[in-house]
Amino acid sequence: MAAPTAGACCKAWWPLLRNEPDITAAVVAEHGLSEDEYRTILNVLGREPNLTELGIFSVMWSEHCSYKSSKVWLKTLPTEAPWVICGPGENAGVVDIGEGKAVIFKMESHNHPSFIEPYQGAATGVGGILRDVFTMGARPIANMNALRFGAPEDPKTRHLVAGVVAGVGGYGNCVGVPTVGGEVNFDPAYNGNILVNAMTVGLADVDKIFYSAAAGIGNPVVYVGSKTGRDGIHGATMASAEFDDATEEKRPTVQVGDPFTEKLLIEACLELMATDAIVAIQDMGAAGLTCSSVEMADKGGVGLDLDIDQVPQRETGMSTYEVMLSESQERMLMVLRPGAEDIARKIFEKWQLDFAVVGKVSNTGRFIGRAGGEVVFDIPVRPLVDESPEYERPWVKTEAPAPLGKIAAPMDHMEALQTLLAGPDLSSRRWVWEQYDHTVMADTVRKPGGDAAIVRIHGSNRGLAVATDCTPRYCRAEPEAGGAQAVAEVWRNLTAVGARPLAITDCLNFGNPERPEIMGQFVGCIQGMTAACRALDFPVVSGNVSLYNETHGQAILPTPAIGGIGVLDDLGRFADLALRREKDIMLLVGHTKGHLGQSIYLRQLLNRDDGQAPAVDLSAERRNGDFIRNLIVEGWVDSCHDLSDGGLLVAAAEMALAGGIGLALSGPNDAGFWFGEDQGRYLIAVPETALGLVLQRAEEREVAVQTIGITGGEALTLNASTPISIAELRRCHESWLPGYMANA
């Protein structure tokens, strides 16, 4: 057999589905497998695979499912802490939050499907991450997302924004889980490959957490949820290849979601979980029935026998290949205790969902499927998993950019502020989050638009803070600093509302790892993340890697999106960015050097993207954050906002806009001071009566603090500049995105 082309894109399997072809080099290449990988398959089986077996290997060994280019580096991330119940390796991470409760959460990508079919791609991304969480026994209580689109002037961007936002809202709103926050960013690097990263947070009892390891020889394996169709076949393989001119041909690989069925599935699963019927449970996500079966068998060290004829199917004449590789949505696989089938069946039929016994746990260690009474695939489980490729890709360190040098301000600071607030980078995202239902379930305490969302732990006065963040332009310039900054920024977002940060999930979005410069970006970001997680006691408990995010060799910006959770022990003591009262003193916390390299100021006002990324001093980050959090918990802070994109003056304006109260600011007439993006900083408003105590505390803890203004009035004033009314700032801030989306 001639050597297949490594990394070839799956786009020609449709003619192969019903007639078993010879396994030629072309067929192997169409399944995204290299010559060496196919040779390993021959060694595992001791023979040539049939088409279904080849399909099973192709999805299990895809980048999306096997992490073959990334797992050697993922193993270096810190994943443990006394409060971590379950780290990476399960459907989602689990963290103990005290009082018998656990938080279960994860973030995942649905990038390629969302570019091809924005509504369904985004919607099924939300559905998939919800299943990752409730399959472990948690009731989902909050959704987040991190969305990145191309340049506003790109002809596809407006269509993609509209479709993705509608998909996120359409699924989340219908399923009844609040979407409480996230990010929306624009950059030309995403023109050919947008990013849709979805995060779900759920609550469970610490003694009622469910795992996926199959157990109990002879125990029934059951299929529940929706029927299997032909949508999403080879979705995992498609997500493991870069785009080219044939992108539109991949539309059939995008799944179709039904949020109403998902809602029924949540309730049915949680009802069954209240019994003792379930031994193991796994959602059917990427690679569908194949991946769920193999993962359950491998984790349990057992075999699995499936009867394909018993799988509920919504289309006639489906081949075994199609059934095993379909990524139809709203489906789960379970191992039940002997004799529990009738109990489970009644529950799922009550919720009008399919229920079928499709197999049993075996002691053979093999993954076997039968159709029409004949064996149609027979693969040893452990080699299928253990022999999956693990590559140490060559990588080169990203060359550090030259220092920025002196920058001449192109306009006065107040004009610059208005320009920034009215542009695509810093304008209000209200148009987006007003399409999301953030009030359903009635436990949302802090709506979208702040540093972190806050959701009440139902029936208590405690809360969870949730945030997502990343600054890809920093990661492009200096990957290690950018990776550290992404973690630190989320830690800071949680701290700014008074929460105690506990753990993170990640969604690592990069280009083609076979290019050493791209692999170098990945390695650098992982190294920076590792350092920040260790310094901040902020372990990684779950996540996702999305590679090959590029089109015609043009990669996205390296984007290690971070989602974090923290706990608030008393919802009577949390901070918000909104100014609350007049005559509060505004304090800048943290050192300000005026760093403009890679800043929004430089990008939007000077059309430049050069200079170094801002340095991340992790010891100062920890010291400043602990100082801020203690002040909030003790009740000394009226308002708090972390400083990030746009720097100090933008943060001050956002606080004034959120509270409808003006500000009089004073300080050096220097663009770096007002717009620089130095890290580890906060802007707080404190009552005048608390000023002395705060300054004393800062001196004792060696935290830099300076007074920069006072609240009051209906305008923002800087030194002796002409005041800008809050109403005018609001008009600038909130007009760009609705105007852009309306200007078809």
Side-chain angles (χ1 to χ4, degrees):
M1 184 187 77
T5 304
C9 181
C10 294
K11 58 188 177 186
W13 50 76
W14 298 105
L16 311 176
L17 295 180
R18 287 174 183 78
N19 298 309
E20 286 276 313
D22 293 331
I23 305 301
T24 64
V27 172
V28 173
E30 285 159 3
H31 283 75
L33 293 162
S34 70
E35 182 180 12
D36 286 341
E37 290 168 352
Y38 185 69
R39 189 177 296 114
T40 303
I41 293 171
L42 296 179
N43 291 335
V44 167
L45 293 177
R47 57 176 171 79
E48 281 202 351
N50 61 37
L51 184 64
T52 299
E53 291 168 335
L54 184 69
I56 289 171
F57 275 99
S58 76
V59 293
M60 291 305 299
W61 289 9
S62 68
E63 195 75 60
H64 191 73
C65 293
S66 75
Y67 297 94
K68 56 190 175 186
S69 296
S70 58
K71 55 188 170 186
V72 66
W73 290 102
L74 297 178
K75 293 172 184 176
T76 67
L77 290 166
T79 60
E80 297 179 347
W83 50 90
V84 174
I85 296 174
C86 178
E90 272 292 341
N91 288 288
V94 186
V95 173
D96 192 333
I97 59 170
E99 299 187 4
K101 294 292 183 181
V103 174
I104 300 179
F105 68 108
K106 188 182 181 183
M107 178 186 281
E108 272 198 340
S109 63
H110 229 222
N111 304 333
H112 286 52
S114 298
F115 184 79
I116 297 168
E117 179 55 65
Y119 184 94
Q120 290 296 347
T124 53
V126 174
I129 196 63
L130 281 164
R131 288 193 299 280
D132 278 338
V133 168
F134 75 75
T135 192
M136 297 193 70
R139 177 170 292 281
I141 62 167
N143 286 334
M144 299 278 283
N145 54 76
L147 312 177
R148 289 180 167 83
F149 300 99
E153 60 271 18
D154 186 86
K156 285 189 175 181
T157 297
R158 188 181 286 104
H159 161 71
L160 291 168
V161 172
V164 167
V165 171
V168 170
Y171 204 100
N173 296 353
C174 292
V175 84
V177 177
T179 301
V180 295
E183 306 174 83
V184 179
N185 297 118
F186 299 89
D187 191 280
Y190 304 106
N191 281 353
N193 198 127
I194 64 173
L195 300 185
V196 175
N197 296 170
M199 177 178 173
T200 292
V201 179
L203 272 177
D205 294 335
V206 293
D207 59 349
K208 292 181 181 177
I209 296 168
F210 291 79
Y211 298 97
S212 58
I217 305 306
N219 279 354
V221 176
V222 301
Y223 170 118
V224 300
S226 290
K227 289 179 170 63
T228 295
R230 291 191 173 102
D231 54 319
I233 294 175
H234 264 295
T237 315
M238 178 270 290
S240 305
E242 61 187 77
F243 282 154
D244 55 25
D245 290 331
T247 295
E248 285 301 311
E249 295 178 17
K250 299 173 184 151
R251 190 174 298 275
T253 65
V254 179
Q255 309 94 326
V256 177
D258 179 354
F260 299 104
T261 298
E262 181 101 337
K263 173 61 175 173
L264 300 177
L265 189 60
I266 292 173
E267 300 304 330
C269 286
L270 292 178
E271 183 174 339
L272 185 60
M273 286 167 173
T275 72
D276 64 349
I278 298 175
V279 174
I281 180 170
Q282 173 76 40
D283 86 289
M284 293 188 215
L289 183 55
T290 288
C291 194
S292 56
S293 301
V294 172
E295 288 186 359
M296 293 178 81
D298 177 62
K299 289 175 183 176
V302 296
L304 224 61
D305 288 0
L306 295 183
D307 184 347
I308 309 304
D309 294 333
Q310 301 305 312
V311 174
Q313 298 168 37
R314 69 168 178 261
E315 300 182 47
T316 58
M318 290 187 70
S319 68
T320 301
Y321 183 102
E322 292 173 310
V323 172
M324 293 307 299
L325 271 63
S326 168
E327 294 185 9
S328 294
Q329 298 292 285
E330 295 87 40
R331 302 179 301 159
M332 311 287 278
L333 197 64
M334 299 180 182
V335 175
L336 299 183
R337 300 191 189 281
E341 297 95 321
D342 287 344
I343 295 172
R345 185 187 303 276
K346 288 177 182 177
I347 290 174
F348 282 91
E349 288 180 350
K350 181 186 78 172
W351 290 101
Q352 300 179 335
L353 296 167
D354 276 286
F355 176 97
V357 178
V358 296
K360 64 181 180 179
V361 178
S362 74
N363 61 0
T364 64
R366 303 186 73 83
F367 183 38
I368 298 173
R370 292 177 172 83
E374 297 181 357
V375 173
V376 288
F377 59 84
D378 185 351
I379 303 172
V381 172
R382 188 53 53 86
L384 174 59
V385 175
D386 289 352
E387 296 300 319
S388 68
E390 182 173 327
Y391 297 128
E392 294 189 34
R393 302 281 192 194
W395 61 279
V396 294
K397 187 178 178 66
T398 302
E399 184 176 348
L404 187 60
K406 189 170 180 61
I407 293 294
M411 58 189 73
D412 71 62
H413 301 328
M414 295 299 267
E415 183 183 357
L417 172 65
Q418 289 177 281
T419 303
L420 292 174
L421 291 179
D425 289 314
L426 297 176
S427 62
S428 169
R429 285 2 186 191
R430 180 186 297 273
W431 180 89
V432 173
W433 57 257
E434 282 191 341
Q435 297 185 54
Y436 304 153
D437 187 344
H438 60 269
T439 62
V440 64
M441 301 180 76
D443 278 323
T444 304
V445 176
R446 178 62 180 83
K447 67 182 182 181
D451 292 313
I454 301 175
V455 179
R456 182 183 304 276
I457 298 172
H458 192 72
S460 77
N461 196 41
R462 304 172 72 224
L464 292 175
V466 192
T468 62
D469 227 309
C470 180
T471 311
R473 62 185 186 277
Y474 297 168
C475 298
R476 175 195 54 199
E478 296 182 78
E480 190 167 349
Q485 189 273 341
V487 173
E489 171 79 1
V490 169
W491 191 86
R492 201 182 312 138
N493 287 336
L494 299 172
T495 294
V497 299
R500 184 172 73 256
L502 293 178
I504 67 169
T505 183
D506 59 49
C507 203
L508 308 177
N509 309 272
F510 291 81
N512 186 343
E514 297 169 50
R515 295 166 55 195
E517 67 274 18
I518 299 296
M519 197 64 206
Q521 294 175 344
F522 182 86
V523 171
C525 286
I526 288 285
Q527 291 171 334
M529 289 170 57
T530 297
C533 287
R534 292 193 190 284
L536 301 173
D537 288 333
F538 207 28
V540 182
V541 298
S542 60
N544 170 241
V545 178
S546 176
L547 302 176
Y548 295 94
N549 288 290
E550 54 182 77
T551 301
H552 294 303
Q554 296 297 310
I556 62 165
L557 298 181
T559 311
I562 305 297
I565 59 108
V567 66
L568 296 111
D569 293 316
D570 180 1
L571 285 177
R573 295 285 179 88
F574 74 88
D576 189 6
L577 81 165
L579 297 179
R580 295 184 182 180
R581 71 178 93 196
E582 301 204 351
K583 297 186 179 179
D584 267 1
I585 307 300
M586 300 298 296
L587 299 176
L588 172 61
V589 177
H591 284 290
T592 297
K593 297 179 180 178
H595 186 97
L596 286 172
Q598 301 296 326
S599 67
I600 292 291
Y601 182 92
L602 198 69
R603 165 189 166 110
Q604 192 164 329
L605 301 186
L606 295 168
N607 198 28
R608 293 172 57 178
D609 61 2
D610 51 333
Q612 298 171 323
V616 181
D617 183 337
L618 291 170
S619 61
E621 193 77 62
R622 180 68 181 260
R623 184 169 60 250
N624 295 351
D626 290 346
F627 168 73
I628 288 290
R629 192 181 313 104
N630 289 335
L631 289 178
I632 293 171
V633 170
E634 292 177 14
W636 299 112
V637 174
D638 281 340
S639 310
C640 180
H641 193 12
D642 89 295
L643 271 60
S644 55
D645 284 352
L648 172 57
L649 192 54
V650 167
E654 289 172 342
M655 295 176 79
L657 287 168
I661 296 175
L663 270 173
L665 301 170
S666 60
N669 185 26
D670 174 67
F673 181 84
W674 293 107
F675 298 103
E677 296 179 7
D678 303 278
Q679 297 297 294
R681 299 185 301 158
Y682 303 81
L683 187 57
I684 61 174
V686 302
E688 188 175 10
T689 54
L691 180 61
L693 178 143
V694 171
L695 294 178
Q696 180 183 348
R697 290 271 188 90
E699 184 177 2
E700 292 170 354
R701 289 160 176 74
E702 298 181 337
V703 172
V705 175
Q706 64 183 106
T707 303
I708 64 160
I710 189 169
T711 66
E714 299 178 351
L716 180 65
T717 305
L718 175 60
N719 296 327
S721 64
T722 302
I724 301 177
S725 70
I726 301 300
E728 176 60 18
L729 280 177
R730 194 177 308 283
R731 185 196 64 78
C732 292
H733 189 47
E734 297 197 353
S735 61
W736 183 83
L737 189 52
Y740 171 73
M741 294 307 298
N743 186 23

